[in-house]
Amino acid sequence: MPGVPDREKKSENCQSCFKMLNGTVPYATFNDGTYSHYYCAQCFDGIGFTESNLSLNTAFSRFIAGKRLSWLARMKYARVFQNLRRWKMGDY
């Protein structure tokens, strides 16, 4: 896929906001020009997170806002969010 960095394991979704990483939502880059393996350019600016005080609950609320999801789907996504690298590893 053009514009996607080569690496051993590609994250298909941002490990902070869960947006799908593609041409519309690009991978973040570090100051040296290398790609972030895990985060989109909207969440990570090469130095740190663009919203350093963002909480898991706020990120999850933004993700589900406007989506018509069943209770079961909300529970599934809540579990997904808890296991995203930013929240699981304490990278915030």
Side-chain angles (χ1 to χ4, degrees):
M1 180 190 297
V4 176
D6 294 327
R7 58 179 174 266
E8 291 179 23
K9 185 177 178 186
K10 176 180 84 171
S11 259
E12 293 183 9
N13 296 83
C14 176
Q15 293 295 297
S16 176
C17 69
F18 202 60
K19 289 179 184 167
M20 183 175 277
L21 296 165
N22 55 32
T24 306
V25 180
Y27 287 88
T29 54
F30 293 103
N31 290 340
D32 65 1
T34 59
Y35 288 98
S36 165
H37 290 232
Y38 306 106
Y39 303 111
C40 73
Q42 295 172 353
C43 291
F44 191 81
D45 65 7
I47 299 170
F49 290 105
T50 56
E51 293 183 82
S52 59
N53 295 326
L54 183 67
S55 70
L56 168 63
N57 290 336
T58 301
F60 178 67
S61 294
R62 287 179 185 174
F63 177 76
I64 64 170
K67 292 180 174 70
R68 295 182 64 185
L69 300 173
S70 67
W71 178 85
L72 188 59
R74 286 177 186 256
M75 294 304 293
K76 175 192 166 224
Y77 282 120
R79 204 170 272 144
V80 166
F81 261 76
Q82 291 170 354
N83 288 304
L84 294 178
R85 182 180 177 89
R86 179 175 183 178
W87 313 114
K88 189 174 184 175
M89 302 296 291
D91 285 352
Y92 56 95

Coordinates of all heavy atoms in Angstrom, one line a residue:
M1 N 0.9 -1.2 0.0 CA 0.0 0.0 0.0 C 0.9 1.2 0.0 O 1.8 1.4 0.8 CB -0.9 0.0 1.2 CG -1.8 1.2 1.3 SD -2.7 1.4 2.9 CE -3.7 -0.1 3.0
P2 N 0.7 2.2 -0.9 CA 1.5 3.4 -1.0 C 1.4 4.2 0.3 O 0.3 4.3 0.8 CB 1.0 4.1 -2.2 CG 0.0 3.2 -2.9 CD -0.3 2.1 -2.0
G3 N 2.5 4.8 0.7 CA 2.5 5.6 1.9 C 2.5 4.9 3.2 O 2.5 5.6 4.3
V4 N 2.4 3.6 3.2 CA 2.5 2.9 4.5 C 3.9 2.4 4.7 O 4.5 1.8 3.8 CB 1.5 1.6 4.4 CG1 1.7 0.8 5.7 CG2 0.1 2.1 4.2
P5 N 4.5 2.7 5.9 CA 5.8 2.3 6.1 C 6.0 0.8 6.2 O 5.1 0.1 6.6 CB 6.1 2.9 7.5 CG 4.8 3.1 8.1 CD 3.8 3.3 7.0
D6 N 7.2 0.4 5.7 CA 7.5 -1.1 5.8 C 8.0 -1.3 7.2 O 8.7 -0.6 7.8 CB 8.7 -1.4 4.9 CG 8.3 -1.2 3.4 OD1 7.1 -1.5 3.1 OD2 9.2 -0.9 2.6
R7 N 7.5 -2.4 7.8 CA 7.9 -2.8 9.1 C 7.4 -4.3 9.3 O 6.6 -4.8 8.6 CB 7.3 -1.9 10.2 CG 5.8 -1.7 10.2 CD 5.5 -0.8 11.3 NE 4.1 -0.5 11.3 CZ 3.5 0.5 10.7 NH1 4.3 1.4 10.1 NH2 2.2 0.7 10.6
E8 N 7.9 -4.9 10.4 CA 7.5 -6.3 10.6 C 6.0 -6.4 10.9 O 5.4 -7.3 10.3 CB 8.3 -6.8 11.8 CG 9.8 -6.9 11.5 CD 10.6 -7.4 12.7 OE1 10.0 -8.1 13.6 OE2 11.8 -7.2 12.7
K9 N 5.5 -5.7 11.8 CA 4.1 -5.8 12.2 C 3.4 -4.5 12.0 O 3.7 -3.5 12.7 CB 3.9 -6.3 13.6 CG 2.5 -6.6 14.0 CD 2.4 -7.2 15.4 CE 0.9 -7.4 15.7 NZ 0.8 -7.8 17.1
K10 N 2.5 -4.4 11.1 CA 1.8 -3.2 10.8 C 0.5 -3.0 11.7 O -0.3 -4.0 11.7 CB 1.4 -3.1 9.3 CG 0.6 -2.0 8.9 CD 0.2 -2.0 7.5 CE -1.0 -2.9 7.3 NZ -1.5 -2.9 5.9
S11 N 0.4 -1.9 12.4 CA -0.9 -1.7 13.1 C -1.9 -1.1 12.1 O -1.6 -0.2 11.4 CB -0.6 -0.6 14.2 OG -0.5 -1.1 15.4
E12 N -3.0 -1.7 12.0 CA -4.0 -1.2 11.1 C -4.9 -0.1 11.6 O -5.5 0.6 10.9 CB -4.9 -2.4 10.6 CG -4.2 -3.4 9.8 CD -5.0 -4.5 9.3 OE1 -6.3 -4.5 9.4 OE2 -4.5 -5.5 8.8
N13 N -4.9 0.0 13.0 CA -5.6 1.1 13.6 C -4.7 1.8 14.6 O -3.8 1.2 15.2 CB -6.8 0.5 14.4 CG -7.8 -0.2 13.5 OD1 -7.6 -1.3 13.2 ND2 -8.9 0.5 13.2
C14 N -5.0 3.1 14.7 CA -4.2 3.9 15.7 C -4.4 3.3 17.1 O -5.5 2.9 17.5 CB -4.7 5.3 15.7 SG -3.9 6.4 16.9
Q15 N -3.3 3.2 17.8 CA -3.3 2.6 19.1 C -3.6 3.6 20.2 O -3.4 3.3 21.4 CB -2.0 1.8 19.4 CG -1.8 0.6 18.5 CD -2.8 -0.4 18.8 OE1 -2.8 -1.0 19.9 NE2 -3.6 -0.7 17.8
S16 N -4.2 4.7 19.8 CA -4.7 5.7 20.8 C -6.2 5.9 20.5 O -7.0 5.9 21.4 CB -3.9 7.0 20.6 OG -4.5 8.0 21.5
C17 N -6.6 6.2 19.3 CA -8.0 6.6 18.9 C -8.7 5.5 18.2 O -9.9 5.7 18.0 CB -8.0 7.9 18.2 SG -7.3 7.8 16.5
F18 N -8.1 4.5 17.7 CA -8.6 3.4 17.0 C -9.1 3.7 15.6 O -9.8 2.9 14.9 CB -9.7 2.7 17.7 CG -10.0 1.3 17.3 CD1 -9.0 0.3 17.4 CD2 -11.2 0.9 16.8 CE1 -9.2 -1.0 17.0 CE2 -11.4 -0.4 16.4 CZ -10.4 -1.4 16.5
K19 N -8.7 4.9 15.0 CA -9.0 5.2 13.6 C -8.2 4.3 12.8 O -7.0 3.9 13.1 CB -8.7 6.7 13.3 CG -9.6 7.6 14.0 CD -9.2 9.0 13.6 CE -10.1 10.0 14.4 NZ -9.6 11.4 14.4
M20 N -8.8 3.9 11.6 CA -8.0 3.1 10.7 C -6.9 3.9 10.0 O -7.2 5.0 9.5 CB -9.0 2.5 9.6 CG -8.3 1.6 8.7 SD -9.4 0.8 7.5 CE -10.0 -0.5 8.5
L21 N -5.7 3.4 10.0 CA -4.6 4.0 9.4 C -4.5 3.7 8.0 O -4.4 2.6 7.5 CB -3.3 3.6 10.1 CG -3.2 4.0 11.6 CD1 -2.1 3.2 12.3 CD2 -3.0 5.5 11.8
N22 N -4.7 4.8 7.2 CA -4.6 4.6 5.7 C -4.3 6.0 5.1 O -3.7 6.8 5.8 CB -6.0 4.2 5.2 CG -7.2 5.1 5.7 OD1 -7.0 6.3 5.8 ND2 -8.3 4.5 5.9
G23 N -4.6 6.2 3.9 CA -4.2 7.5 3.2 C -4.9 8.7 3.8 O -4.4 9.8 3.8
T24 N -6.1 8.5 4.4 CA -6.9 9.6 4.9 C -6.4 9.9 6.3 O -6.3 11.1 6.7 CB -8.4 9.2 5.0 OG1 -8.8 8.8 3.8 CG2 -9.2 10.3 5.5
V25 N -6.1 8.9 7.1 CA -5.5 9.1 8.5 C -4.1 8.5 8.4 O -3.9 7.3 8.6 CB -6.4 8.4 9.5 CG1 -5.8 8.6 10.9 CG2 -7.8 8.9 9.5
P26 N -3.1 9.3 8.2 CA -1.7 8.8 8.0 C -1.0 8.5 9.3 O -1.4 8.9 10.4 CB -1.0 10.0 7.4 CG -1.7 11.2 7.9 CD -3.2 10.8 8.0
Y27 N 0.0 7.6 9.2 CA 0.8 7.3 10.4 C 1.5 8.5 10.8 O 1.9 9.4 10.0 CB 1.9 6.2 10.0 CG 1.3 4.9 9.7 CD1 0.9 4.5 8.5 CD2 1.3 3.9 10.8 CE1 0.4 3.2 8.3 CE2 0.8 2.7 10.6 CZ 0.3 2.3 9.4 OH -0.2 1.0 9.2
A28 N 1.8 8.6 12.1 CA 2.6 9.7 12.7 C 4.0 9.5 12.3 O 4.5 8.3 12.1 CB 2.4 9.7 14.2
T29 N 4.8 10.6 12.2 CA 6.2 10.4 12.0 C 7.0 11.1 13.1 O 6.5 12.1 13.7 CB 6.6 11.1 10.6 OG1 6.2 12.4 10.6 CG2 6.1 10.4 9.4
F30 N 8.1 10.5 13.4 CA 9.0 11.1 14.4 C 9.8 12.3 13.7 O 9.8 12.4 12.5 CB 10.0 10.1 15.0 CG 9.3 9.0 15.8 CD1 9.0 7.8 15.2 CD2 8.8 9.3 17.1 CE1 8.4 6.8 16.0 CE2 8.2 8.3 17.8 CZ 7.9 7.1 17.3
N31 N 10.5 13.1 14.5 CA 11.2 14.2 14.0 C 12.3 13.8 13.0 O 12.7 14.6 12.2 CB 11.8 15.0 15.2 CG 10.8 15.7 16.0 OD1 9.7 16.0 15.5 ND2 11.1 16.1 17.2
D32 N 12.8 12.6 13.1 CA 13.9 12.1 12.2 C 13.3 11.6 10.9 O 14.0 11.1 10.0 CB 14.8 11.1 12.9 CG 14.0 9.8 13.2 OD1 12.8 9.7 12.9 OD2 14.7 8.9 13.8
G33 N 11.9 11.6 10.7 CA 11.3 11.2 9.5 C 10.8 9.8 9.5 O 10.1 9.3 8.6
T34 N 11.2 9.0 10.5 CA 10.7 7.6 10.6 C 9.2 7.6 11.1 O 8.8 8.5 11.7 CB 11.6 6.7 11.5 OG1 11.5 7.3 12.9 CG2 13.0 6.7 11.1
Y35 N 8.6 6.5 10.6 CA 7.1 6.4 11.0 C 6.9 5.8 12.4 O 7.7 4.9 12.8 CB 6.4 5.5 10.0 CG 6.2 6.1 8.6 CD1 7.1 5.8 7.6 CD2 5.2 6.9 8.4 CE1 6.9 6.4 6.3 CE2 5.0 7.5 7.1 CZ 5.9 7.2 6.1 OH 5.7 7.8 4.9
S36 N 5.9 6.2 13.0 CA 5.4 5.6 14.3 C 4.8 4.3 13.9 O 4.1 4.2 12.9 CB 4.4 6.5 15.0 OG 3.7 5.7 16.0
H37 N 5.1 3.2 14.6 CA 4.5 1.9 14.4 C 3.1 1.8 14.9 O 2.4 0.9 14.5 CB 5.4 0.9 15.1 CG 6.7 0.7 14.5 ND1 7.2 -0.5 14.1 CD2 7.7 1.6 14.2 CE1 8.4 -0.4 13.6 NE2 8.7 0.9 13.6
Y38 N 2.6 2.7 15.7 CA 1.4 2.5 16.4 C 0.4 3.7 16.3 O -0.8 3.4 16.5 CB 1.7 2.3 17.9 CG 2.6 1.2 18.1 CD1 3.9 1.5 18.5 CD2 2.3 -0.1 17.9 CE1 4.8 0.5 18.7 CE2 3.2 -1.2 18.2 CZ 4.5 -0.9 18.5 OH 5.4 -1.9 18.8
Y39 N 0.8 4.9 16.0 CA -0.1 6.0 16.2 C -0.4 6.8 14.9 O 0.5 6.9 14.1 CB 0.4 6.9 17.3 CG 0.6 6.2 18.6 CD1 1.9 6.0 19.1 CD2 -0.5 5.7 19.3 CE1 2.1 5.3 20.3 CE2 -0.3 5.0 20.5 CZ 1.0 4.8 21.0 OH 1.2 4.2 22.2
C40 N -1.5 7.4 14.8 CA -1.8 8.3 13.7 C -1.3 9.7 13.9 O -0.9 10.1 15.1 CB -3.3 8.4 13.5 SG -4.3 9.3 14.7
A41 N -1.2 10.5 12.9 CA -0.6 11.8 12.9 C -1.5 12.8 13.7 O -1.1 13.8 14.2 CB -0.4 12.4 11.5
Q42 N -2.8 12.4 13.9 CA -3.7 13.3 14.7 C -3.5 13.1 16.2 O -3.8 14.0 17.0 CB -5.2 12.9 14.3 CG -5.5 13.3 12.9 CD -6.9 12.8 12.5 OE1 -7.5 12.1 13.2 NE2 -7.3 13.2 11.3
C43 N -3.0 11.9 16.6 CA -2.8 11.6 18.0 C -1.3 11.9 18.5 O -1.1 12.2 19.6 CB -3.2 10.2 18.3 SG -4.9 9.9 18.2
F44 N -0.4 11.7 17.6 CA 1.0 11.8 17.9 C 1.7 12.7 17.0 O 1.6 12.5 15.7 CB 1.6 10.4 17.9 CG 3.0 10.3 18.5 CD1 3.1 10.2 19.9 CD2 4.1 10.2 17.7 CE1 4.4 10.1 20.5 CE2 5.4 10.1 18.3 CZ 5.5 10.1 19.7
D45 N 2.5 13.7 17.5 CA 3.1 14.7 16.6 C 4.6 14.5 16.4 O 5.3 15.3 15.9 CB 2.8 16.1 17.1 CG 3.5 16.4 18.4 OD1 4.2 15.6 19.0 OD2 3.2 17.5 19.0
G46 N 5.2 13.3 16.8 CA 6.6 13.1 16.6 C 7.4 13.3 17.9 O 8.5 12.8 18.0
I47 N 6.8 14.1 18.8 CA 7.5 14.3 20.1 C 6.7 13.7 21.2 O 7.2 13.1 22.1 CB 7.6 15.8 20.4 CG1 8.4 16.5 19.3 CG2 8.2 16.1 21.7 CD1 8.4 18.0 19.4
G48 N 5.4 13.8 21.1 CA 4.5 13.2 22.1 C 3.1 13.2 21.6 O 2.8 13.6 20.5
F49 N 2.2 12.9 22.5 CA 0.8 12.9 22.1 C 0.2 14.3 22.0 O 0.6 15.2 22.8 CB -0.1 12.1 23.2 CG 0.2 10.7 23.1 CD1 1.0 10.1 24.1 CD2 -0.3 9.9 22.1 CE1 1.2 8.7 24.0 CE2 0.0 8.6 22.0 CZ 0.7 8.0 22.9
T50 N -0.6 14.6 21.0 CA -1.1 15.9 20.8 C -2.0 16.4 21.9 O -2.1 17.6 22.2 CB -1.8 16.0 19.4 OG1 -2.9 15.0 19.4 CG2 -0.9 15.8 18.3
E51 N -2.7 15.4 22.6 CA -3.5 15.7 23.7 C -3.0 14.9 24.9 O -3.5 13.8 25.1 CB -5.0 15.4 23.5 CG -5.6 16.2 22.4 CD -7.1 15.9 22.3 OE1 -7.9 16.4 23.1 OE2 -7.4 15.2 21.4
S52 N -2.0 15.4 25.5 CA -1.3 14.6 26.6 C -2.2 14.3 27.8 O -2.0 13.3 28.5 CB 0.0 15.3 27.0 OG -0.3 16.6 27.5
N53 N -3.2 15.1 28.0 CA -4.1 14.9 29.1 C -5.4 14.1 28.8 O -6.3 13.9 29.6 CB -4.5 16.2 29.7 CG -3.4 16.9 30.3 OD1 -2.5 16.3 30.9 ND2 -3.3 18.3 30.2
L54 N -5.4 13.6 27.5 CA -6.6 12.8 27.1 C -6.7 11.5 27.9 O -5.7 10.8 28.1 CB -6.4 12.5 25.6 CG -7.6 11.7 25.0 CD1 -8.8 12.6 24.9 CD2 -7.2 11.2 23.6
S55 N -7.9 11.2 28.4 CA -8.2 10.0 29.1 C -8.7 8.9 28.2 O -9.3 9.2 27.2 CB -9.1 10.3 30.3 OG -10.4 10.5 29.8
L56 N -8.6 7.7 28.7 CA -9.2 6.6 28.0 C -10.7 6.8 27.8 O -11.3 6.6 26.7 CB -9.0 5.3 28.8 CG -9.8 4.0 28.4 CD1 -9.4 3.6 27.0 CD2 -9.5 2.9 29.3
N57 N -11.4 7.2 28.8 CA -12.9 7.5 28.8 C -13.2 8.5 27.7 O -14.2 8.4 27.0 CB -13.4 7.8 30.1 CG -13.4 6.7 31.1 OD1 -13.4 5.5 30.7 ND2 -13.4 7.0 32.4
T58 N -12.5 9.6 27.6 CA -12.7 10.6 26.7 C -12.5 10.1 25.3 O -13.3 10.4 24.3 CB -11.9 11.9 27.0 OG1 -12.2 12.4 28.3 CG2 -12.2 13.0 26.0
A59 N -11.4 9.4 25.1 CA -11.1 8.9 23.7 C -12.2 7.9 23.3 O -12.6 8.0 22.1 CB -9.7 8.2 23.8
F60 N -12.6 7.1 24.2 CA -13.7 6.1 23.9 C -15.0 6.9 23.5 O -15.7 6.5 22.6 CB -13.9 5.1 25.0 CG -15.0 4.2 24.8 CD1 -14.8 3.2 23.8 CD2 -16.1 4.2 25.5 CE1 -15.9 2.3 23.5 CE2 -17.2 3.3 25.3 CZ -17.0 2.3 24.3
S61 N -15.3 7.9 24.3 CA -16.6 8.6 24.1 C -16.5 9.3 22.7 O -17.5 9.3 22.0 CB -16.7 9.7 25.2 OG -17.0 9.1 26.4
R62 N -15.4 9.8 22.3 CA -15.2 10.4 21.0 C -15.4 9.4 19.9 O -16.0 9.7 18.9 CB -13.9 11.1 20.8 CG -13.7 12.3 21.6 CD -12.3 12.9 21.5 NE -12.1 14.1 22.3 CZ -10.9 14.7 22.4 NH1 -9.9 14.2 21.7 NH2 -10.8 15.7 23.2
F63 N -14.9 8.2 20.1 CA -15.0 7.2 19.1 C -16.4 6.7 18.9 O -16.8 6.6 17.7 CB -14.1 6.0 19.5 CG -14.2 4.8 18.6 CD1 -13.6 4.8 17.3 CD2 -15.0 3.7 18.9 CE1 -13.7 3.8 16.5 CE2 -15.1 2.6 18.0 CZ -14.5 2.7 16.8
I64 N -17.2 6.6 19.9 CA -18.6 6.1 19.8 C -19.6 7.2 19.5 O -20.7 6.9 19.1 CB -19.0 5.3 21.0 CG1 -19.1 6.1 22.3 CG2 -18.1 4.0 21.1 CD1 -19.7 5.4 23.4
A65 N -19.2 8.5 19.6 CA -20.1 9.6 19.4 C -20.7 9.5 18.0 O -20.0 9.4 17.0 CB -19.4 10.9 19.6
G66 N -22.0 9.6 18.0 CA -22.7 9.6 16.7 C -22.9 8.3 16.1 O -23.6 8.2 15.0
K67 N -22.3 7.2 16.6 CA -22.5 5.9 16.1 C -23.7 5.3 16.8 O -23.9 5.4 18.0 CB -21.2 5.1 16.3 CG -20.0 5.5 15.5 CD -18.9 4.6 15.9 CE -17.6 4.9 15.0 NZ -17.0 6.1 15.3
R68 N -24.5 4.6 16.0 CA -25.6 3.8 16.5 C -25.2 2.4 16.8 O -25.2 1.6 16.0 CB -26.8 3.9 15.6 CG -27.3 5.3 15.3 CD -28.5 5.3 14.4 NE -29.6 4.6 15.1 CZ -30.7 4.3 14.5 NH1 -30.9 4.7 13.2 NH2 -31.6 3.6 15.1
L69 N -24.7 2.2 18.1 CA -24.2 0.9 18.4 C -25.1 0.2 19.5 O -25.6 0.9 20.4 CB -22.8 1.1 19.0 CG -21.7 1.7 18.1 CD1 -20.4 1.9 18.9 CD2 -21.4 0.8 17.0
S70 N -25.2 -1.1 19.4 CA -25.9 -1.8 20.4 C -25.1 -1.8 21.7 O -23.9 -1.5 21.7 CB -26.1 -3.2 19.9 OG -24.9 -3.9 19.9
W71 N -25.7 -2.2 22.7 CA -25.0 -2.3 24.0 C -23.8 -3.3 23.9 O -22.7 -3.0 24.4 CB -26.0 -2.8 25.1 CG -25.4 -3.0 26.4 CD1 -25.1 -2.0 27.4 CD2 -24.8 -4.2 27.0 NE1 -24.5 -2.5 28.5 CE2 -24.3 -3.9 28.2 CE3 -24.8 -5.5 26.5 CZ2 -23.7 -4.9 29.1 CZ3 -24.2 -6.4 27.3 CH2 -23.7 -6.1 28.6
L72 N -24.1 -4.4 23.2 CA -23.0 -5.4 23.1 C -21.8 -4.8 22.3 O -20.7 -5.1 22.6 CB -23.6 -6.6 22.4 CG -22.7 -7.9 22.3 CD1 -22.2 -8.3 23.7 CD2 -23.4 -9.0 21.5
A73 N -22.1 -4.1 21.2 CA -21.0 -3.5 20.4 C -20.3 -2.5 21.3 O -19.0 -2.4 21.2 CB -21.6 -2.8 19.2
R74 N -20.9 -1.7 22.1 CA -20.2 -0.7 22.9 C -19.3 -1.5 23.9 O -18.2 -1.0 24.2 CB -21.2 0.1 23.7 CG -21.9 1.2 22.9 CD -22.9 1.9 23.7 NE -23.7 2.8 22.9 CZ -23.5 4.1 22.9 NH1 -22.6 4.7 23.7 NH2 -24.2 4.9 22.1
M75 N -19.8 -2.6 24.5 CA -19.0 -3.4 25.4 C -17.7 -3.9 24.7 O -16.6 -3.9 25.2 CB -19.8 -4.5 26.0 CG -20.9 -4.0 26.9 SD -20.3 -2.9 28.3 CE -19.3 -4.1 29.2
K76 N -17.9 -4.4 23.4 CA -16.8 -4.9 22.6 C -15.8 -3.8 22.4 O -14.6 -4.0 22.6 CB -17.3 -5.4 21.3 CG -16.2 -5.9 20.4 CD -16.7 -6.1 19.0 CE -15.6 -6.2 18.0 NZ -15.7 -5.5 16.8
Y77 N -16.2 -2.6 22.0 CA -15.3 -1.5 21.7 C -14.6 -1.0 23.0 O -13.5 -0.6 23.0 CB -15.9 -0.4 20.9 CG -16.1 -0.7 19.5 CD1 -17.3 -0.7 18.9 CD2 -15.0 -1.0 18.7 CE1 -17.5 -1.0 17.5 CE2 -15.1 -1.3 17.3 CZ -16.4 -1.3 16.7 OH -16.5 -1.6 15.4
A78 N -15.3 -1.1 24.1 CA -14.7 -0.7 25.4 C -13.6 -1.6 25.7 O -12.5 -1.1 26.1 CB -15.8 -0.7 26.5
R79 N -13.7 -2.9 25.4 CA -12.7 -3.8 25.7 C -11.5 -3.6 24.7 O -10.3 -3.7 25.1 CB -13.2 -5.2 25.5 CG -12.4 -6.2 26.3 CD -13.1 -7.6 26.4 NE -14.0 -7.7 27.5 CZ -15.1 -8.3 27.6 NH1 -15.5 -8.9 26.5 NH2 -15.8 -8.3 28.6
V80 N -11.8 -3.3 23.5 CA -10.8 -3.0 22.5 C -10.0 -1.8 22.9 O -8.7 -1.8 22.9 CB -11.4 -2.7 21.1 CG1 -10.4 -2.1 20.1 CG2 -12.0 -4.0 20.5
F81 N -10.6 -0.7 23.4 CA -9.9 0.5 23.8 C -9.0 0.2 25.0 O -7.9 0.7 25.0 CB -10.9 1.6 24.1 CG -11.1 2.6 23.0 CD1 -11.8 2.2 21.9 CD2 -10.4 3.8 23.0 CE1 -11.9 3.1 20.8 CE2 -10.6 4.7 22.0 CZ -11.3 4.4 20.8
Q82 N -9.5 -0.6 25.9 CA -8.6 -0.9 27.1 C -7.4 -1.6 26.7 O -6.4 -1.5 27.5 CB -9.4 -1.7 28.1 CG -10.5 -1.0 28.7 CD -11.5 -1.9 29.5 OE1 -11.3 -3.1 29.5 NE2 -12.4 -1.3 30.2
N83 N -7.4 -2.3 25.5 CA -6.2 -3.0 25.1 C -5.3 -2.3 24.1 O -4.4 -2.8 23.6 CB -6.6 -4.4 24.6 CG -7.0 -5.3 25.7 OD1 -6.2 -5.5 26.7 ND2 -8.2 -5.8 25.7
L84 N -5.7 -1.0 23.7 CA -4.9 -0.3 22.8 C -3.6 0.1 23.5 O -3.6 0.4 24.7 CB -5.6 1.0 22.3 CG -6.8 0.8 21.5 CD1 -7.5 2.1 21.1 CD2 -6.5 0.0 20.2
R85 N -2.5 0.1 22.8 CA -1.2 0.4 23.3 C -1.1 1.6 24.2 O -0.5 1.5 25.3 CB -0.2 0.5 22.2 CG 1.3 0.6 22.7 CD 2.2 0.8 21.6 NE 3.6 1.0 22.0 CZ 4.4 0.1 22.4 NH1 4.1 -1.2 22.2 NH2 5.6 0.4 22.8
R86 N -1.6 2.7 23.8 CA -1.5 3.9 24.6 C -2.1 3.7 26.0 O -1.5 4.2 27.0 CB -2.2 5.1 24.0 CG -2.2 6.4 24.8 CD -2.8 7.5 24.1 NE -2.6 8.8 24.9 CZ -3.0 10.0 24.5 NH1 -3.6 10.1 23.3 NH2 -2.8 11.0 25.3
W87 N -3.2 3.0 26.1 CA -3.9 2.9 27.4 C -3.4 1.7 28.2 O -3.3 1.7 29.4 CB -5.4 2.8 27.2 CG -5.9 3.9 26.2 CD1 -6.4 3.7 25.0 CD2 -5.8 5.3 26.4 NE1 -6.6 4.9 24.4 CE2 -6.3 5.9 25.3 CE3 -5.4 6.1 27.5 CZ2 -6.3 7.3 25.2 CZ3 -5.4 7.4 27.4 CH2 -5.9 8.1 26.2
K88 N -3.0 0.6 27.5 CA -2.5 -0.6 28.1 C -1.1 -0.4 28.7 O -0.8 -0.8 29.8 CB -2.6 -1.7 27.1 CG -2.3 -3.1 27.8 CD -2.5 -4.2 26.7 CE -2.3 -5.5 27.4 NZ -2.6 -6.6 26.4
M89 N -0.3 0.3 27.9 CA 1.1 0.5 28.3 C 1.3 1.7 29.1 O 2.4 2.0 29.6 CB 2.0 0.6 27.0 CG 1.9 -0.6 26.1 SD 2.5 -2.1 26.8 CE 4.2 -1.8 26.8
G90 N 0.3 2.5 29.3 CA 0.5 3.7 30.1 C 1.3 4.8 29.4 O 2.0 5.6 30.0
D91 N 1.2 4.8 28.0 CA 1.9 5.8 27.2 C 1.3 7.2 27.2 O 1.5 7.9 26.2 CB 2.1 5.3 25.8 CG 3.0 4.1 25.6 OD1 3.7 3.8 26.6 OD2 3.1 3.6 24.5
Y92 N 0.6 7.6 28.2 CA 0.0 8.9 28.2 C 0.4 9.7 29.4 O 1.1 9.2 30.3 CB -1.5 8.8 28.1 CG -2.2 7.9 29.2 CD1 -2.7 8.5 30.3 CD2 -2.2 6.5 29.1 CE1 -3.3 7.8 31.3 CE2 -2.8 5.8 30.0 CZ -3.3 6.4 31.1 OH -3.9 5.6 32.1

